Each structure stands twice: as C-alpha cells, then as structure tokens.
Amino acid sequence: MSIDLGKANEPNHVELGRKDDARVHKMFLDHTGCHLLIALSSTEVLYVNRNGQKVRPLARWKGQLVESVGWNKALGTESSTGPILVGTAQGHIFEAELSASEGGLFGPAPDLYFRPLYVLNEEGGPAPVCSLEAERGPDGRGFVIATTRQRLFQFIGRAAEGAEAQGFSGLFAAYTDHPPPFREFPSSLGYSELAFYTPKLRSAPRAFAWMMGDGVLYGALDCGRPDSLLSEERVWEYPEGVGPGASPPLAVVLTQFHFLLLLADRVEAVCTLTGQVVLRDHFLEKFGPLKHMVKDSSTGHLWAYTERAVFRYHVQREARDVWRTYLDMNRFDLAKEYCRERPDCLDTVLAREADFCFRQRRYLESARCYALTQSYFEEIALKFLEARQEEALVEFLQRKLASLKPAERTQATLLTTWLTELYLSRLGALQGDPEALNLYRETRERFRAFLSSPRHKEWLFASRASIHELLASHGDTEHMVYFAVIMQDYERVVAYHCQHEAYEEALAVLARHRDPQLFYKFSPILIRHIPRQLVDAWIELGSRLDARQLIPALVNYSQGGEAQQVSQAIRYMEFCVNELGETEQAIHNYLLSLYARGQPASLLAYLEQAGASPHRVHYDLKYALRLCAEHGHHRACVHVYKVLELYEEAVDLALQVDVDLAKQCADLPEEDEELRKKLWLKIARHVVQEEEDVQTAMACLASCPLLKIEDVLPFFPDFVTIDHFKEAICSSLKAYNHHIQELQREMEEATASAQRIRRDLQELRGRYGTVEPQDKCATCDFPLLNRPFYLFLCGHMFHADCLLQAVRPGLPAYKQARLEELQRKLGAAPAPTKGSARAKEADGGAAAGGPSREQLKADLDELVAAECVYCGELMIRSIDRPFIDPQRYEEEHLSWL
C-alpha cells in the first residue's frame, strides 16, 4: 500500500502477484520517492516505480537476500536510479542501476546491470551488510560508509574525470589489496543501523549515528579529512532498559541535536550533546509492535509504523533550548549562536562567559563580555578595581563607551573622563622608569589610539573641556597638544606654542590649517618675532585673508619706526593693492601713511599710478593731503591738489617747488580759459616779482596764448627798459592788426548777405501758382476747387481738411494740443461780414478781447502748412512707419482676397 500525502484518505494498494509463502523481508525507498525495492524472504527482489504502479521482478538480483541499499543522491532521477549500491546478507556489496522505462513483452528489464564490488568480513567470515550510505563531498570526493553487526567501514576516493557513468567501481578498486579502515565494537545486536543528518536536501551530511551493540556511536562527518571522515566521535550508551539484553532498539533516526531510538512499544529521543533522554513516547498495544522508523530527507518528517498504523513526527524548534545545554558545557560561542535572536538569553550567556573568564583570570576577555551584558556598571567596575586590573577596566569602559546611544551624553562624559584619568595615571606611574620604557610607549600608543578613535570622536568632542582640564592638571602638555590637534582645536595649539615661544611651530600650524580667524587673533604676537615669515604666510593665503583685519597688527608692529618693520608692512600692503586689487579705502590710506613715513620716493609714484580722477582713486584725498603736508612732501601735495581740482592751490604750492610743475598745473583746466589765464598770471607774477627773470616771463607769454604783453606789463618794475619787450610788443600789435582785418572781412560778408536776403524777400512777394479747374487734391483725389485748399511751391495741392488730417499724426503731442486749441478758437470766432466798417469793428473787438480771426488762421497755417506734407521733414520722420496701419492690417488683408 502506498499513500500520497496530498490524498492521504485514498491509499493505493499494490498487489505483489505472489501466491507462494514468500514474505516481505525489507523495503527500500529512495530520497525522491520514485523507486521502491521490495526484498522477499525467498531471495527475490521486486521493483515498483511511482509512475508505473506495476511490480516488476529483478531477475539479476535473484538469489540475494538484500539487507541494505545505498541510493545515489547525485545522479538519481524519477526515471533512473543511477548507479546504486546493494548490500546482502552474505556480506556482498553489489553495484546496480534501475530504469523505470517499460517495454512490451520483449522490452528491456528494469535492472540494467548487477555486478559485485566488494565483500565485507568480520572475524568469523562474511557478515551481513546492515547499512549502506553513499555520498559525495563538496570537494568532489566520493565516500561510502557500510556497516555490519560490529564493524563500520569507510571507503574514500576521488572519481576520475568523466567517470560518473562508471559508478562506484573505481572507488572500491582502491581497496582490493588492503582492507578499508573500520571501527569495531565487541557487543552485537545481531544487526546495526546507520543514520545521517543532512541540513538540506542534496547537501553534504554533517553528522552520523550508528546503532550497534554497545550503544550509539555519534560524531561529525568531515569530508575534508584525508584518512577518515569521522570526527568528534563519542559512544552514547543506551538508556536504562534499552540494549541487547533488555529491549533492543529496532531503528535509529538522527536529527540536528537528537537521535531517536525505536523500540517495540515506544520511541525515545536522546540529546546528542548530553546523552540525556528528553522524550519517551509510548504507543498503545492496539496498534501492535513498532516495526521500523525512517526520516524523510526532503521534509524532515519522521515516520514510524506498525502492522496496523503509520505515525508521523514533525520536528519544530528543536534548537530553542540548545543554548542552555551549550552554556552548561561552557561552550559559549555555540550558546551565543543559538540564542542570537533572543536578547535575554544572549545576555545570560554573556554574563556566564564573563564570570567564567574572570575566574580563569582572563580579565581582558571577561571585560569584553561584561561590556555586552546588562549587568550593573558599578558592580563590574568595582570588580575589576578590587582585582587591581586597570587594563581590563579600561577595556570594559571603552567598549561601554562605544555602545552608548547619542542621547546618553552624561554617561559618555563620565566614561571619557574616567578613561582619560586612568590613562594619565598609568602614564604618570610609568614615566621615568627605565625598566618600564616599552610598557610606557605601549600605554601611550593605546591612549593616543583612544583619543583619535573615530568611534569615540563624538563623545570626546563633547567632553573636550573636561579632558583638557585633566591633561593640564597632570601637566601632560604633549598630549594636550595632541588632543587639541585631533579635536581641531588649533587655537589652543597655537596658543600653547606661543606661550612656549615656539613661534615658527605656531605659524606652521596656522599655515597648515589656513583658518583666517586664527591668523587675525595671533598675528599681533607673531609679527613681533617672525615678521618676514608671517607676511609670507599672509601672501600665500592671498584673498582668503581680509587685509583690514590685519591692519591693527601691522600698526602695532610698525609703530617702532624701524626700516625693517615698515618694509614688511609695505610689502604686504603692496601685495594687497597690486596683486589682489584691493579697493578698500582703509588699506590705501594705511599704505599712504607707510610711504609717507618710510618710503617717500614711492609715495608720488603711487599717487600718480592711482590716477587723477577724484572718483577713481581709492584713498581719502583729504587724508592724503594732510599726511603729505605733515611730512613736507610738496610734490605729492601738488598732485593731490590737482586730483581735487584745486588748481590755484596746486599752482601756489608748485611755485614753491618748481616753475615747470606750476606750468603743468596751469594747463589742466582746459575748458575754463579764464581760470587758465589767471593761473598763468600767477606764474608770470611769480617769475617777474620773485625771480626777476624777464626772459622766463617772456617764455611764459610764449607758452600760454591767453596771455598778452599788456597783461604782464603791470608786473614789471618801472626801471625796466622797453628793449626787453620790443619783440613782444611788435608781435602783439601784429596780432591786433590781423584781428581788425578779420573783423572788417566779416562785416563785408554780413552786408552782402543782408542784401541777398532782401532780394529774396522781394522775389517771394511776387511769386504765385496757377490752379487749373481739373486739378485734384493730392490726398483724396477729389477736385481741388470744391473746398478751401493749400498750394505749395513744390506743386502739391491739398484740401485744407485733408492736409489737417495728414499732418496731425506726425505732430508732437504739444503741437497737436495747440492745433486743437486753434481749431476751437477759430470755430468760436464770429465770421467776417461784407461791410468794411463792420469788419473793422469786428477786428477791433477781437483785438480788444483776444487774437483776431485772421491771427488765428495765420497761426493755424504756420502750424499745418509750414511745409509740404509730402516733401518736408514730416515725411522724412515718418520713413519708419508702415504703409498700412497695424490695427487695420487684417481688414486691409481681407479686402484683397
């Protein structure tokens, strides 16, 4: 009978087709559930395939009482078993292969071949092959384990490349000349059984259990060992009441942590770690005695059966309490592995491991475990303190610190401070002891590793103030600087170097970290001792520094007035102005002051380079003028006066220095001839009255065309003879004569022009135009004489109203308003009568109350008819206007369609 678990209520009965007394000796089902072998007591073997449901005898197997089968888990399929091993009661091991294909009457037999490989012997000769297991290891090696009543044999070998089809013959051929290794026990049940534990289907087995007379041999399977697969072997004796002389076990099944023994009336489960019975499951007598028990390798279910019933065991959470067993065995690593997802259990394991290591005086390992537990912090710390194990205490504190959460700031401050104190105390105790030099260096390296650890950086930074206080209290300046560098507290580092007069080291720190704020703070100190190096560092940083922030340091430094001090300040200011292009007034003013005090020769060059436009210079002109005047730099003052456009003051001061400089200043106001003449008169007066140099005075006359001899003569004394001015006077008279002639010529030209204008006016009075009856308006193309009209000299003729409409769009807004006003007034004025007397009276009334009608018409004509609308400027100004008004474009466009 076969049962499909999907249809458990519908068992399938298979008839063996036997009428003799042969009974079923054993049955063997492969791991796929497709191939079933039925061994009969008559030394015959039947084969049933799940898909065929037909019992087929195996002719080649006849005469062999089969005791065990080793299935091929690597090559077995639903249609073929692949090469398999068969063990018989006579001690023979055969290799066979079965095929599920069914032919006709003369079709192929299911047993493809059946050949002997080996014979197992005990002391009395061949012994039944009770169990066979064939496996392949991860490295490609094959191994076979076979058992008899008292012995366990191992066959190990590597199959040749491409030799899978050859089966196991190559593996057994290696043991033709010598027997395979085996384990033997004296007692015997008359049979034995072998069970493997495999975590997953088609994976390599990890453990084995061999049920034999002396108990159960349990151990691990190590496929990597060259000589033997068995390792960590141990024989567990049978529980009380089980054994050869009492109730012999019938079968054994192995799980991950237990092996189950099948007895006639019960199942007992024994822990493979302790050998203790953890389960006794008794069966009722009504089911009959238990026959056998097997394990389904694909699902992990356990099956036991009697002649009347089948039972299934489902293993769940087998490893839930294994950690406790490993813990009692002090195998802490395995205990932690099996309670990793149970924090409370894991804490118990860690605490027990920590206590165990502490008792074993393995204090560092104990500290690491204690740090992972939830034990009271104070108790653990006191425990190490009482044992005088400071190194272990440090390890414990460091690991506790690493496990803190971001919100636990108070605890972090406490731990970091305590650790620092412990390290400093240890270093202080070791320092100065030549015998403990290596230990001192090792402790120092650990302390520095603690200070620089990325895991502790956040907490160390939060506690940096208290740590600095501790370092200072111990006088450990070396580590104070080291810690400040790690915390990037460069201000403290630089201050330390400055206090110990290590100014170059302080500057090196500043230059390396390039923090402008630190430069501003420490430059006043450093510039007094290393001015050149500091200025070099400033220049290297360039625009990252604000020169205005450095002026106070330069001012304090340059107050001594020494040439070297001023030169360094000037060097940096020149770099800022020339290289960085600084435009800040404070910087330029300070550079001016440095030039005025230390380098007067560069002052005028700087002022001239800055330019002469008051809006483009970057220094304060008034400050520059006062500074130059205080230090007596007259030429520089003259330049500043010129920039300020104070030309009279510039000339007055320049005359005290150089006449040529005064002349240059006098020519500057090019657009103001009166001022230029005044300045040149100042120069002439100075030359005549102060220097009494007539020739130079005459040269001034030649240099300035605005001056004449009569302007200069009042400055000369009375005793000067006319011979000195003869040439100048003659030149002046010639110039006056030439000017008079020019005026006469201009008068004659003006008279001739007036006469031409009078002639043109006379001609205009007599000009007229002829209008023919058929003439039309140039705008509306209607007869001209129908309405009032205008006639232009160019020949164009317009109706008055047409001309008005053509002119109006081109007039400016104010003229359009004037045009509307004239039209309104003209419409309101009374029309003239035919009588001359009444016309004069009307004109007189209009003159008394406002402009007359004739005057309004004249103004209107002047506005509208000043020029032809087609030939005058109005047409030229309208050249960019489109021919068609954009607002009427669509209408015009549609009219052409």
Side-chain angles (χ1 to χ4, degrees), residues 884-891:
I884 301 175
D885 189 354
Q887 298 180 355
R888 297 185 55 197
Y889 179 82
E890 290 297 331
E891 180 183 350

Side-chain angles (χ1 to χ4, degrees), residues 515-754:
D515 187 352
Q517 297 301 324
L518 294 181
F519 270 100
Y520 302 148
K521 182 172 183 177
F522 292 99
S523 288
I525 300 173
L526 297 177
I527 199 169
R528 297 197 199 107
H529 304 280
I530 48 173
R532 183 181 57 79
Q533 296 91 325
L534 181 62
V535 171
D536 290 340
W538 288 350
I539 292 175
E540 185 178 353
L541 260 69
S543 59
R544 294 187 60 179
L545 291 178
D546 185 357
R548 294 175 301 175
Q549 304 281 354
L550 300 174
I551 289 178
L554 291 172
V555 170
N556 293 333
Y557 171 66
S558 60
Q559 281 179 348
E562 296 182 4
Q564 181 182 2
Q565 295 175 340
V566 176
S567 64
Q568 294 299 328
I570 289 177
R571 184 161 73 95
Y572 182 65
M573 289 291 104
E574 286 180 341
F575 169 77
C576 294
V577 171
N578 299 329
E579 300 296 332
L580 300 182
E582 283 285 354
T583 59
E584 282 292 331
Q585 191 177 79
I587 295 174
H588 287 264
N589 288 346
Y590 182 58
L591 181 58
L592 275 175
S593 67
L594 292 174
Y595 279 146
R597 284 188 298 157
Q599 294 184 10
S602 303
L603 177 61
L604 185 59
Y606 165 77
L607 294 174
E608 291 177 348
Q609 183 182 4
S613 173
H615 305 293
R616 303 181 71 177
V617 296
H618 302 301
Y619 56 86
D620 187 348
L621 291 168
K622 295 180 181 179
Y623 172 76
L625 183 62
R626 184 173 66 253
L627 190 68
C628 295
E630 288 177 359
H631 291 83
H633 303 309
H634 297 303
R635 288 185 177 271
C637 287
V638 170
H639 180 82
V640 177
Y641 276 132
K642 291 192 294 184
V643 177
L644 289 170
E645 297 182 356
L646 300 175
Y647 301 115
E648 293 189 38
E649 290 82 352
V651 170
D652 291 340
L653 185 58
L655 289 175
Q656 300 177 17
V657 180
D658 186 6
V659 174
D660 292 335
L661 180 60
K663 291 179 180 180
Q664 295 175 7
C665 296
D667 282 332
L668 291 177
E670 297 178 353
E671 298 180 357
D672 193 346
E673 293 186 355
E674 183 177 354
L675 178 58
R676 285 176 61 199
K677 183 176 181 180
K678 182 179 180 181
L679 297 177
W680 277 100
L681 285 174
K682 282 178 176 286
I683 297 172
R685 178 183 296 171
H686 174 80
V687 171
V688 173
Q689 295 180 352
E690 301 295 333
E691 300 183 5
E692 297 180 358
D693 189 348
V694 178
Q695 296 297 331
T696 304
M698 294 300 101
C700 289
L701 286 176
S703 300
C704 181
L706 300 177
L707 291 183
K708 296 184 173 45
I709 186 61
E710 58 269 27
D711 298 327
V712 181
L713 283 177
F715 303 147
F716 288 94
D718 296 337
F719 59 85
V720 178
T721 60
I722 195 138
D723 292 340
H724 296 286
F725 313 110
K726 180 178 179 181
E727 207 173 304
I729 292 172
C730 292
S731 299
S732 180
L733 291 175
K734 288 181 181 178
Y736 278 125
N737 185 34
H738 180 71
H739 184 59
I740 291 170
Q741 291 178 358
E742 287 292 329
L743 290 176
Q744 288 178 350
R745 185 176 58 79
E746 290 176 1
M747 290 174 60
E748 291 175 356
E749 290 178 356
T751 303
S753 296

Side-chain angles (χ1 to χ4, degrees), residues 27 56 64 67 101 139 141 157 171 338-339 362 448 455 500 598 602 655 818-819 861:
M27 293 190 300
R56 305 171 70 188
Q64 302 293 335
E67 291 287 345
S101 60
D139 57 352
R141 291 194 310 164
L171 181 65
Y338 287 102
C339 64
R362 292 152 48 190
R448 291 188 173 185
R455 294 189 303 172
H500 291 78
S602 303
L655 289 175
R818 174 63 177 165
L819 180 61
D861 290 344

Side-chain angles (χ1 to χ4, degrees), residues 16-37:
L16 297 182
R18 306 286 297 188
K19 296 182 180 180
D20 53 12
D21 296 333
R23 297 174 59 85
V24 176
H25 176 61
K26 284 186 178 181
M27 293 190 300
F28 307 94
L29 183 67
D30 78 320
H31 62 285
T32 64
C34 296
H35 308 283
L36 174 65
L37 293 175

Side-chain angles (χ1 to χ4, degrees), residues 325-636:
T325 304
Y326 280 127
L327 181 61
D328 295 336
M329 298 168 62
N330 291 333
R331 300 181 67 176
F332 302 108
D333 292 339
L334 291 173
K336 287 184 286 188
E337 181 179 351
Y338 287 102
C339 64
R340 194 170 302 278
E341 297 180 358
R342 300 165 67 181
D344 53 339
C345 301
L346 181 61
D347 186 70
T348 303
V349 174
L350 290 170
R352 183 83 67 85
E353 182 182 8
D355 292 337
F356 177 80
C357 293
F358 192 90
R359 290 193 300 270
Q360 297 290 324
R361 299 181 183 274
R362 292 152 48 190
Y363 295 109
L364 285 177
E365 297 179 30
S366 175
R368 297 186 187 105
C369 294
Y370 274 131
L372 298 174
T373 67
Q374 301 298 321
S375 303
Y376 288 111
F377 174 83
E378 298 83 356
E379 292 181 2
I380 307 304
L382 288 173
K383 200 171 185 179
F384 286 116
L385 287 174
E386 291 173 357
R388 298 178 179 238
Q389 295 297 322
E390 292 185 359
E391 186 176 357
L393 178 59
V394 168
E395 180 71 18
F396 172 69
L397 295 178
Q398 283 186 343
R399 290 184 176 269
K400 273 294 184 184
L401 179 63
S403 64
L404 291 180
K405 298 177 181 178
E408 298 174 321
R409 294 186 175 274
T410 304
Q411 294 89 329
T413 303
L414 171 64
L415 291 177
T416 52
T417 307
W418 194 358
L419 281 167
T420 305
E421 177 64 31
L422 289 173
Y423 274 120
L424 290 175
S425 299
R426 181 69 171 163
L427 289 172
L430 296 174
Q431 193 173 17
D433 186 357
E435 297 180 358
L437 181 59
N438 292 333
L439 183 58
Y440 171 79
R441 290 175 178 173
E442 182 181 349
T443 305
R444 183 183 61 182
E445 292 302 319
R446 287 204 300 269
F447 181 40
R448 291 188 173 185
F450 163 69
L451 294 177
S452 60
S453 173
R455 294 189 303 172
H456 306 147
K457 184 174 183 180
E458 180 181 356
W459 306 126
L460 290 170
F461 183 80
S463 309
R464 64 187 184 280
S466 58
I467 293 176
H468 275 299
E469 291 178 3
L470 279 175
L471 292 168
S473 66
H474 283 265
D476 194 343
T477 55
E478 178 186 1
H479 285 104
M480 184 186 299
V481 174
Y482 181 82
F483 181 66
V485 171
I486 291 174
M487 294 293 105
Q488 299 184 356
D489 189 2
Y490 303 117
E491 180 178 351
R492 194 182 297 270
V493 178
V494 176
Y496 170 80
H497 288 311
C498 290
Q499 289 173 3
H500 291 78
E501 298 183 357
Y503 302 110
E504 293 186 356
E505 288 82 352
L507 181 59
V509 174
L510 291 175
R512 184 164 56 251
H513 299 289
R514 307 169 75 88
D515 187 352
Q517 297 301 324
L518 294 181
F519 270 100
Y520 302 148
K521 182 172 183 177
F522 292 99
S523 288
I525 300 173
L526 297 177
I527 199 169
R528 297 197 199 107
H529 304 280
I530 48 173
R532 183 181 57 79
Q533 296 91 325
L534 181 62
V535 171
D536 290 340
W538 288 350
I539 292 175
E540 185 178 353
L541 260 69
S543 59
R544 294 187 60 179
L545 291 178
D546 185 357
R548 294 175 301 175
Q549 304 281 354
L550 300 174
I551 289 178
L554 291 172
V555 170
N556 293 333
Y557 171 66
S558 60
Q559 281 179 348
E562 296 182 4
Q564 181 182 2
Q565 295 175 340
V566 176
S567 64
Q568 294 299 328
I570 289 177
R571 184 161 73 95
Y572 182 65
M573 289 291 104
E574 286 180 341
F575 169 77
C576 294
V577 171
N578 299 329
E579 300 296 332
L580 300 182
E582 283 285 354
T583 59
E584 282 292 331
Q585 191 177 79
I587 295 174
H588 287 264
N589 288 346
Y590 182 58
L591 181 58
L592 275 175
S593 67
L594 292 174
Y595 279 146
R597 284 188 298 157
Q599 294 184 10
S602 303
L603 177 61
L604 185 59
Y606 165 77
L607 294 174
E608 291 177 348
Q609 183 182 4
S613 173
H615 305 293
R616 303 181 71 177
V617 296
H618 302 301
Y619 56 86
D620 187 348
L621 291 168
K622 295 180 181 179
Y623 172 76
L625 183 62
R626 184 173 66 253
L627 190 68
C628 295
E630 288 177 359
H631 291 83
H633 303 309
H634 297 303
R635 288 185 177 271

